[in-house]
PDB file of all heavy atoms in Angstrom:
ATOM      1  N   TRP D  68      16.793  12.691  -7.909  1.00 94.00           N
ATOM      2  CA  TRP D  68      15.860  12.106  -8.818  1.00 94.00           C
ATOM      3  C   TRP D  68      14.420  11.601  -8.312  1.00 94.00           C
ATOM      4  O   TRP D  68      13.554  11.625  -9.055  1.00 94.00           O
ATOM      5  CB  TRP D  68      16.596  10.864  -9.504  1.00 94.00           C
ATOM      6  CG  TRP D  68      17.702  11.350 -10.418  1.00 94.00           C
ATOM      7  CD1 TRP D  68      19.034  11.330 -10.254  1.00 94.00           C
ATOM      8  CD2 TRP D  68      17.460  11.875 -11.776  1.00 94.00           C
ATOM      9  NE1 TRP D  68      19.657  11.907 -11.366  1.00 94.00           N
ATOM     10  CE2 TRP D  68      18.755  12.258 -12.292  1.00 94.00           C
ATOM     11  CE3 TRP D  68      16.249  12.168 -12.549  1.00 94.00           C
ATOM     12  CZ2 TRP D  68      18.943  12.758 -13.461  1.00 94.00           C
ATOM     13  CZ3 TRP D  68      16.505  12.654 -13.829  1.00 94.00           C
ATOM     14  CH2 TRP D  68      17.721  12.987 -14.323  1.00 94.00           C
ATOM     15  N   ALA D  69      14.449  11.441  -7.044  1.00 96.00           N
ATOM     16  CA  ALA D  69      13.140  11.047  -6.372  1.00 96.00           C
ATOM     17  C   ALA D  69      12.390  12.485  -6.332  1.00 96.00           C
ATOM     18  O   ALA D  69      11.068  12.427  -6.635  1.00 96.00           O
ATOM     19  CB  ALA D  69      13.352  10.637  -4.962  1.00 96.00           C
ATOM     20  N   ILE D  70      13.006  13.514  -6.069  1.00 95.00           N
ATOM     21  CA  ILE D  70      12.307  14.864  -6.129  1.00 95.00           C
ATOM     22  C   ILE D  70      11.712  15.134  -7.468  1.00 95.00           C
ATOM     23  O   ILE D  70      10.566  15.486  -7.629  1.00 95.00           O
ATOM     24  CB  ILE D  70      13.200  15.993  -5.697  1.00 95.00           C
ATOM     25  CG1 ILE D  70      13.582  15.865  -4.221  1.00 95.00           C
ATOM     26  CG2 ILE D  70      12.639  17.319  -6.035  1.00 95.00           C
ATOM     27  CD1 ILE D  70      14.843  16.706  -3.734  1.00 95.00           C
ATOM     28  N   TYR D  71      12.446  14.927  -8.576  1.00 93.00           N
ATOM     29  CA  TYR D  71      11.995  15.083  -9.851  1.00 93.00           C
ATOM     30  C   TYR D  71      10.951  14.060 -10.269  1.00 93.00           C
ATOM     31  O   TYR D  71       9.967  14.326 -10.980  1.00 93.00           O
ATOM     32  CB  TYR D  71      13.247  14.863 -10.915  1.00 93.00           C
ATOM     33  CG  TYR D  71      14.310  15.895 -10.842  1.00 93.00           C
ATOM     34  CD1 TYR D  71      15.617  15.591 -11.354  1.00 93.00           C
ATOM     35  CD2 TYR D  71      14.140  17.194 -10.270  1.00 93.00           C
ATOM     36  CE1 TYR D  71      16.604  16.511 -11.352  1.00 93.00           C
ATOM     37  CE2 TYR D  71      15.084  18.077 -10.193  1.00 93.00           C
ATOM     38  CZ  TYR D  71      16.285  17.772 -10.752  1.00 93.00           C
ATOM     39  OH  TYR D  71      17.344  18.721 -10.710  1.00 93.00           O
ATOM     40  N   GLY D  72      11.113  12.789  -9.777  1.00 94.00           N
ATOM     41  CA  GLY D  72      10.168  11.794 -10.048  1.00 94.00           C
ATOM     42  C   GLY D  72       8.796  12.008  -9.616  1.00 94.00           C
ATOM     43  O   GLY D  72       7.815  11.670 -10.149  1.00 94.00           O
ATOM     44  N   VAL D  73       8.693  12.566  -8.319  1.00 96.00           N
ATOM     45  CA  VAL D  73       7.434  12.800  -7.714  1.00 96.00           C
ATOM     46  C   VAL D  73       6.535  13.839  -8.573  1.00 96.00           C
ATOM     47  O   VAL D  73       5.395  13.613  -8.950  1.00 96.00           O
ATOM     48  CB  VAL D  73       7.549  13.494  -6.300  1.00 96.00           C
ATOM     49  CG1 VAL D  73       6.248  14.052  -5.780  1.00 96.00           C
ATOM     50  CG2 VAL D  73       7.933  12.364  -5.276  1.00 96.00           C
ATOM     51  N   VAL D  74       7.250  14.946  -8.996  1.00 94.00           N
ATOM     52  CA  VAL D  74       6.585  15.891  -9.882  1.00 94.00           C
ATOM     53  C   VAL D  74       6.237  15.290 -11.242  1.00 94.00           C
ATOM     54  O   VAL D  74       5.238  15.450 -11.748  1.00 94.00           O
ATOM     55  CB  VAL D  74       7.537  17.171 -10.024  1.00 94.00           C
ATOM     56  CG1 VAL D  74       6.800  18.202 -10.905  1.00 94.00           C
ATOM     57  CG2 VAL D  74       7.826  17.765  -8.729  1.00 94.00           C
ATOM     58  N   ALA D  75       7.249  14.608 -11.821  1.00 94.00           N
ATOM     59  CA  ALA D  75       7.046  14.028 -13.181  1.00 94.00           C
ATOM     60  C   ALA D  75       6.005  13.064 -13.208  1.00 94.00           C
ATOM     61  O   ALA D  75       5.075  13.046 -14.094  1.00 94.00           O
ATOM     62  CB  ALA D  75       8.422  13.494 -13.633  1.00 94.00           C
ATOM     63  N   LEU D  76       5.943  12.108 -12.282  1.00 96.00           N
ATOM     64  CA  LEU D  76       4.959  11.074 -12.286  1.00 96.00           C
ATOM     65  C   LEU D  76       3.441  11.664 -12.018  1.00 96.00           C
ATOM     66  O   LEU D  76       2.552  11.224 -12.593  1.00 96.00           O
ATOM     67  CB  LEU D  76       5.184  10.024 -11.177  1.00 96.00           C
ATOM     68  CG  LEU D  76       4.298   8.851 -11.043  1.00 96.00           C
ATOM     69  CD1 LEU D  76       4.185   8.076 -12.382  1.00 96.00           C
ATOM     70  CD2 LEU D  76       4.617   7.954  -9.937  1.00 96.00           C
ATOM     71  N   SER D  77       3.430  12.655 -11.108  1.00 95.00           N
ATOM     72  CA  SER D  77       2.206  13.313 -10.802  1.00 95.00           C
ATOM     73  C   SER D  77       1.605  14.003 -12.009  1.00 95.00           C
ATOM     74  O   SER D  77       0.384  13.811 -12.322  1.00 95.00           O
ATOM     75  CB  SER D  77       2.304  14.216  -9.625  1.00 95.00           C
ATOM     76  OG  SER D  77       2.857  13.604  -8.444  1.00 95.00           O
ATOM     77  N   LEU D  78       2.418  14.665 -12.686  1.00 93.00           N
ATOM     78  CA  LEU D  78       1.953  15.474 -13.854  1.00 93.00           C
ATOM     79  C   LEU D  78       1.556  14.467 -14.917  1.00 93.00           C
ATOM     80  O   LEU D  78       0.461  14.531 -15.602  1.00 93.00           O
ATOM     81  CB  LEU D  78       3.082  16.280 -14.320  1.00 93.00           C
ATOM     82  CG  LEU D  78       3.337  17.636 -13.690  1.00 93.00           C
ATOM     83  CD1 LEU D  78       4.627  18.209 -13.987  1.00 93.00           C
ATOM     84  CD2 LEU D  78       2.141  18.579 -14.007  1.00 93.00           C
ATOM     85  N   ALA D  79       2.370  13.464 -15.163  1.00 94.00           N
ATOM     86  CA  ALA D  79       2.054  12.433 -16.216  1.00 94.00           C
ATOM     87  C   ALA D  79       0.700  11.721 -15.977  1.00 94.00           C
ATOM     88  O   ALA D  79      -0.082  11.536 -16.879  1.00 94.00           O
ATOM     89  CB  ALA D  79       3.255  11.423 -16.370  1.00 94.00           C
ATOM     90  N   PHE D  80       0.537  11.356 -14.702  1.00 95.00           N
ATOM     91  CA  PHE D  80      -0.623  10.518 -14.396  1.00 95.00           C
ATOM     92  C   PHE D  80      -1.916  11.412 -14.574  1.00 95.00           C
ATOM     93  O   PHE D  80      -2.826  10.915 -15.245  1.00 95.00           O
ATOM     94  CB  PHE D  80      -0.529  10.104 -12.897  1.00 95.00           C
ATOM     95  CG  PHE D  80      -1.826   9.388 -12.405  1.00 95.00           C
ATOM     96  CD1 PHE D  80      -2.023   8.040 -12.811  1.00 95.00           C
ATOM     97  CD2 PHE D  80      -2.743  10.068 -11.698  1.00 95.00           C
ATOM     98  CE1 PHE D  80      -3.185   7.432 -12.441  1.00 95.00           C
ATOM     99  CE2 PHE D  80      -3.941   9.493 -11.271  1.00 95.00           C
ATOM    100  CZ  PHE D  80      -4.092   8.112 -11.589  1.00 95.00           C
ATOM    101  N   PHE D  81      -1.966  12.608 -14.022  1.00 92.00           N
ATOM    102  CA  PHE D  81      -3.124  13.427 -14.155  1.00 92.00           C
ATOM    103  C   PHE D  81      -3.357  13.960 -15.612  1.00 92.00           C
ATOM    104  O   PHE D  81      -4.540  14.152 -15.946  1.00 92.00           O
ATOM    105  CB  PHE D  81      -3.090  14.593 -13.150  1.00 92.00           C
ATOM    106  CG  PHE D  81      -3.385  14.096 -11.752  1.00 92.00           C
ATOM    107  CD1 PHE D  81      -2.431  13.987 -10.859  1.00 92.00           C
ATOM    108  CD2 PHE D  81      -4.690  13.695 -11.345  1.00 92.00           C
ATOM    109  CE1 PHE D  81      -2.524  13.538  -9.516  1.00 92.00           C
ATOM    110  CE2 PHE D  81      -4.945  13.224 -10.061  1.00 92.00           C
ATOM    111  CZ  PHE D  81      -3.844  13.233  -9.147  1.00 92.00           C
ATOM    112  N   CYS D  82      -2.304  14.041 -16.352  1.00 89.00           N
ATOM    113  CA  CYS D  82      -2.548  14.464 -17.803  1.00 89.00           C
ATOM    114  C   CYS D  82      -2.971  13.313 -18.696  1.00 89.00           C
ATOM    115  O   CYS D  82      -4.021  13.410 -19.343  1.00 89.00           O
ATOM    116  CB  CYS D  82      -1.210  15.127 -18.242  1.00 89.00           C
ATOM    117  SG  CYS D  82      -1.284  15.516 -19.974  1.00 89.00           S
ATOM    118  N   TYR D  83      -2.193  12.250 -18.611  1.00 91.00           N
ATOM    119  CA  TYR D  83      -2.398  11.089 -19.510  1.00 91.00           C
ATOM    120  C   TYR D  83      -3.502  10.189 -19.129  1.00 91.00           C
ATOM    121  O   TYR D  83      -4.055   9.638 -20.010  1.00 91.00           O
ATOM    122  CB  TYR D  83      -1.131  10.334 -19.791  1.00 91.00           C
ATOM    123  CG  TYR D  83       0.030  11.245 -20.294  1.00 91.00           C
ATOM    124  CD1 TYR D  83       1.343  11.234 -19.726  1.00 91.00           C
ATOM    125  CD2 TYR D  83      -0.194  12.159 -21.405  1.00 91.00           C
ATOM    126  CE1 TYR D  83       2.299  11.942 -20.254  1.00 91.00           C
ATOM    127  CE2 TYR D  83       0.864  12.868 -21.867  1.00 91.00           C
ATOM    128  CZ  TYR D  83       2.105  12.932 -21.294  1.00 91.00           C
ATOM    129  OH  TYR D  83       3.005  13.614 -21.845  1.00 91.00           O
ATOM    130  N   ASN D  84      -3.617  10.056 -17.789  1.00 90.00           N
ATOM    131  CA  ASN D  84      -4.694   9.045 -17.347  1.00 90.00           C
ATOM    132  C   ASN D  84      -5.985   9.713 -17.000  1.00 90.00           C
ATOM    133  O   ASN D  84      -7.049   8.980 -17.028  1.00 90.00           O
ATOM    134  CB  ASN D  84      -4.151   8.275 -16.113  1.00 90.00           C
ATOM    135  CG  ASN D  84      -3.040   7.393 -16.461  1.00 90.00           C
ATOM    136  OD1 ASN D  84      -1.953   7.759 -16.869  1.00 90.00           O
ATOM    137  ND2 ASN D  84      -3.176   6.056 -16.414  1.00 90.00           N
ATOM    138  N   LYS D  85      -5.974  10.965 -16.545  1.00 88.00           N
ATOM    139  CA  LYS D  85      -7.159  11.626 -16.214  1.00 88.00           C
ATOM    140  C   LYS D  85      -7.523  12.793 -17.123  1.00 88.00           C
ATOM    141  O   LYS D  85      -8.567  13.358 -16.876  1.00 88.00           O
ATOM    142  CB  LYS D  85      -7.023  12.180 -14.798  1.00 88.00           C
ATOM    143  CG  LYS D  85      -6.740  11.080 -13.682  1.00 88.00           C
ATOM    144  CD  LYS D  85      -7.772  10.090 -13.574  1.00 88.00           C
ATOM    145  CE  LYS D  85      -7.540   8.946 -12.677  1.00 88.00           C
ATOM    146  NZ  LYS D  85      -8.551   7.826 -12.726  1.00 88.00           N
ATOM    147  N   GLY D  86      -6.887  13.011 -18.131  1.00 85.00           N
ATOM    148  CA  GLY D  86      -7.177  14.017 -19.159  1.00 85.00           C
ATOM    149  C   GLY D  86      -7.122  15.465 -18.741  1.00 85.00           C
ATOM    150  O   GLY D  86      -7.720  16.280 -19.367  1.00 85.00           O
ATOM    151  N   LEU D  87      -6.323  15.727 -17.706  1.00 88.00           N
ATOM    152  CA  LEU D  87      -6.276  17.195 -17.146  1.00 88.00           C
ATOM    153  C   LEU D  87      -5.136  17.869 -17.909  1.00 88.00           C
ATOM    154  O   LEU D  87      -4.285  17.188 -18.490  1.00 88.00           O
ATOM    155  CB  LEU D  87      -5.973  17.168 -15.612  1.00 88.00           C
ATOM    156  CG  LEU D  87      -7.216  16.514 -14.847  1.00 88.00           C
ATOM    157  CD1 LEU D  87      -6.842  16.509 -13.427  1.00 88.00           C
ATOM    158  CD2 LEU D  87      -8.500  17.182 -15.038  1.00 88.00           C
ATOM    159  N   PRO D  88      -5.160  19.236 -17.883  1.00 87.00           N
ATOM    160  CA  PRO D  88      -4.095  19.945 -18.524  1.00 87.00           C
ATOM    161  C   PRO D  88      -2.693  19.579 -17.946  1.00 87.00           C
ATOM    162  O   PRO D  88      -2.637  19.351 -16.813  1.00 87.00           O
ATOM    163  CB  PRO D  88      -4.472  21.439 -18.188  1.00 87.00           C
ATOM    164  CG  PRO D  88      -5.861  21.413 -17.955  1.00 87.00           C
ATOM    165  CD  PRO D  88      -6.157  20.074 -17.165  1.00 87.00           C
ATOM    166  N   LEU D  89      -1.713  19.706 -18.756  1.00 86.00           N
ATOM    167  CA  LEU D  89      -0.376  19.405 -18.362  1.00 86.00           C
ATOM    168  C   LEU D  89       0.173  20.626 -17.592  1.00 86.00           C
ATOM    169  O   LEU D  89       0.945  21.472 -18.166  1.00 86.00           O
ATOM    170  CB  LEU D  89       0.573  18.981 -19.530  1.00 86.00           C
ATOM    171  CG  LEU D  89       2.004  18.742 -19.155  1.00 86.00           C
ATOM    172  CD1 LEU D  89       2.010  17.427 -18.335  1.00 86.00           C
ATOM    173  CD2 LEU D  89       2.833  18.539 -20.447  1.00 86.00           C
ATOM    174  N   SER D  90      -0.274  20.842 -16.380  1.00 87.00           N
ATOM    175  CA  SER D  90       0.132  21.995 -15.624  1.00 87.00           C
ATOM    176  C   SER D  90       0.233  21.612 -14.143  1.00 87.00           C
ATOM    177  O   SER D  90      -0.541  20.639 -13.756  1.00 87.00           O
ATOM    178  CB  SER D  90      -0.933  23.121 -15.831  1.00 87.00           C
ATOM    179  OG  SER D  90      -0.425  24.312 -15.348  1.00 87.00           O
ATOM    180  N   ILE D  91       0.987  22.234 -13.336  1.00 89.00           N
ATOM    181  CA  ILE D  91       1.151  21.843 -11.970  1.00 89.00           C
ATOM    182  C   ILE D  91      -0.133  21.814 -11.167  1.00 89.00           C
ATOM    183  O   ILE D  91      -0.354  20.942 -10.428  1.00 89.00           O
ATOM    184  CB  ILE D  91       2.140  22.772 -11.242  1.00 89.00           C
ATOM    185  CG1 ILE D  91       3.498  22.883 -11.916  1.00 89.00           C
ATOM    186  CG2 ILE D  91       2.352  22.357  -9.758  1.00 89.00           C
ATOM    187  CD1 ILE D  91       4.321  21.584 -11.924  1.00 89.00           C
ATOM    188  N   ARG D  92      -0.970  22.651 -11.478  1.00 90.00           N
ATOM    189  CA  ARG D  92      -2.289  22.908 -10.772  1.00 90.00           C
ATOM    190  C   ARG D  92      -3.195  21.546 -10.964  1.00 90.00           C
ATOM    191  O   ARG D  92      -3.928  21.277  -9.986  1.00 90.00           O
ATOM    192  CB  ARG D  92      -3.125  23.999 -11.305  1.00 90.00           C
ATOM    193  CG  ARG D  92      -3.629  23.859 -12.703  1.00 90.00           C
ATOM    194  CD  ARG D  92      -4.485  24.959 -13.125  1.00 90.00           C
ATOM    195  NE  ARG D  92      -3.782  26.207 -13.298  1.00 90.00           N
ATOM    196  CZ  ARG D  92      -4.162  27.481 -13.038  1.00 90.00           C
ATOM    197  NH1 ARG D  92      -5.450  27.521 -12.559  1.00 90.00           N
ATOM    198  NH2 ARG D  92      -3.557  28.476 -13.228  1.00 90.00           N
ATOM    199  N   SER D  93      -3.089  20.834 -12.084  1.00 90.00           N
ATOM    200  CA  SER D  93      -3.852  19.698 -12.329  1.00 90.00           C
ATOM    201  C   SER D  93      -3.566  18.537 -11.241  1.00 90.00           C
ATOM    202  O   SER D  93      -4.525  17.812 -10.913  1.00 90.00           O
ATOM    203  CB  SER D  93      -3.591  19.067 -13.684  1.00 90.00           C
ATOM    204  OG  SER D  93      -3.828  19.974 -14.702  1.00 90.00           O
ATOM    205  N   ILE D  94      -2.441  18.528 -10.670  1.00 92.00           N
ATOM    206  CA  ILE D  94      -2.045  17.536  -9.707  1.00 92.00           C
ATOM    207  C   ILE D  94      -2.922  17.609  -8.461  1.00 92.00           C
ATOM    208  O   ILE D  94      -3.214  16.638  -7.843  1.00 92.00           O
ATOM    209  CB  ILE D  94      -0.513  17.576  -9.303  1.00 92.00           C
ATOM    210  CG1 ILE D  94       0.318  17.487 -10.545  1.00 92.00           C
ATOM    211  CG2 ILE D  94      -0.260  16.743  -8.257  1.00 92.00           C
ATOM    212  CD1 ILE D  94       1.775  17.778 -10.371  1.00 92.00           C
ATOM    213  N   PHE D  95      -3.478  18.814  -8.146  1.00 92.00           N
ATOM    214  CA  PHE D  95      -4.205  19.003  -6.917  1.00 92.00           C
ATOM    215  C   PHE D  95      -5.710  18.881  -7.117  1.00 92.00           C
ATOM    216  O   PHE D  95      -6.436  19.309  -6.183  1.00 92.00           O
ATOM    217  CB  PHE D  95      -3.764  20.387  -6.350  1.00 92.00           C
ATOM    218  CG  PHE D  95      -2.319  20.362  -6.059  1.00 92.00           C
ATOM    219  CD1 PHE D  95      -1.359  21.020  -6.855  1.00 92.00           C
ATOM    220  CD2 PHE D  95      -1.820  19.748  -4.855  1.00 92.00           C
ATOM    221  CE1 PHE D  95       0.019  21.032  -6.655  1.00 92.00           C
ATOM    222  CE2 PHE D  95      -0.439  19.771  -4.592  1.00 92.00           C
ATOM    223  CZ  PHE D  95       0.417  20.399  -5.407  1.00 92.00           C
ATOM    224  N   TYR D  96      -6.117  18.405  -8.248  1.00 90.00           N
ATOM    225  CA  TYR D  96      -7.605  18.370  -8.463  1.00 90.00           C
ATOM    226  C   TYR D  96      -8.269  17.432  -7.374  1.00 90.00           C
ATOM    227  O   TYR D  96      -9.311  17.755  -6.929  1.00 90.00           O
ATOM    228  CB  TYR D  96      -7.851  17.811  -9.903  1.00 90.00           C
ATOM    229  CG  TYR D  96      -9.369  17.906 -10.208  1.00 90.00           C
ATOM    230  CD1 TYR D  96     -10.004  19.117 -10.360  1.00 90.00           C
ATOM    231  CD2 TYR D  96     -10.088  16.641 -10.304  1.00 90.00           C
ATOM    232  CE1 TYR D  96     -11.394  19.127 -10.556  1.00 90.00           C
ATOM    233  CE2 TYR D  96     -11.398  16.736 -10.534  1.00 90.00           C
ATOM    234  CZ  TYR D  96     -12.135  17.941 -10.679  1.00 90.00           C
ATOM    235  OH  TYR D  96     -13.473  18.014 -10.936  1.00 90.00           O
ATOM    236  N   PRO D  97      -7.682  16.315  -6.980  1.00 91.00           N
ATOM    237  CA  PRO D  97      -8.293  15.515  -5.978  1.00 91.00           C
ATOM    238  C   PRO D  97      -8.467  16.244  -4.606  1.00 91.00           C
ATOM    239  O   PRO D  97      -9.400  15.972  -3.911  1.00 91.00           O
ATOM    240  CB  PRO D  97      -7.313  14.232  -5.842  1.00 91.00           C
ATOM    241  CG  PRO D  97      -6.677  14.187  -7.099  1.00 91.00           C
ATOM    242  CD  PRO D  97      -6.471  15.583  -7.511  1.00 91.00           C
TER     243      PRO D  97
END
């Protein structure tokens, strides 16, 4: 669940808080 949580939280943060597309690539914008 920690493995899932890292991916889920990263996606949710960059999508909902930073307005980036809901896609794995968005996590690596920084």
Side-chain angles (χ1 to χ4, degrees):
W68 285 103
I70 291 169
Y71 295 158
V73 166
V74 180
L76 181 60
S77 301
L78 282 164
F80 175 79
F81 284 104
C82 177
Y83 302 133
N84 292 69
K85 301 303 179 185
L87 299 176
L89 185 63
S90 193
I91 303 292
R92 69 177 67 213
S93 297
I94 299 170
F95 300 98
Y96 187 68

